Amino acid sequence: MQATPSSFPDRDTVASKISAMTAEDEAYLNLLMENALQDENLLEGLLLFLDQQSQAKFLNTLKLEKCGEWFGNNAPARIQIRLHELAKSSQHAAYAAFRAGLAKSGGLEKAYPKAPL
């Protein structure tokens, strides 16, 4: 059996789950993050969500910061670096708010602690 990434869920579904972010959506996203084969779908959905937020008429920076903090606290170590790369991929205020939430969570530092000198 070949280990290929599944096309389910598509990025639109993931983006809508991130946008709503109810308790059920958080459980769904946590389930996606448990499976390494779903990382690409998750990150593509997150990128679509950030792109949609950057084109919105009203920029909800508090929601974006909370979203970044949630991902920083809940994402496994294997995708923490990719989350930070995605957050730094644009200088738009939507990406900056998401990046601020990621930084506030300290997820990258938890996943990759500094080496003792």
Side-chain angles (χ1 to χ4, degrees), residues 98-112:
F98 182 78
R99 188 170 49 248
L102 276 176
K104 188 189 291 185
S105 73
L108 189 62
E109 290 78 21
K110 291 178 208 166
Y112 301 101

Side-chain angles (χ1 to χ4, degrees), residues 72-95:
N73 287 328
N74 293 295
R78 70 175 187 275
I79 60 174
Q80 285 291 339
I81 290 176
R82 295 186 68 194
L83 285 172
H84 282 268
E85 288 173 350
L86 189 131
K88 292 179 181 179
S89 65
S90 175
Q91 292 188 8
H92 191 276
Y95 286 79

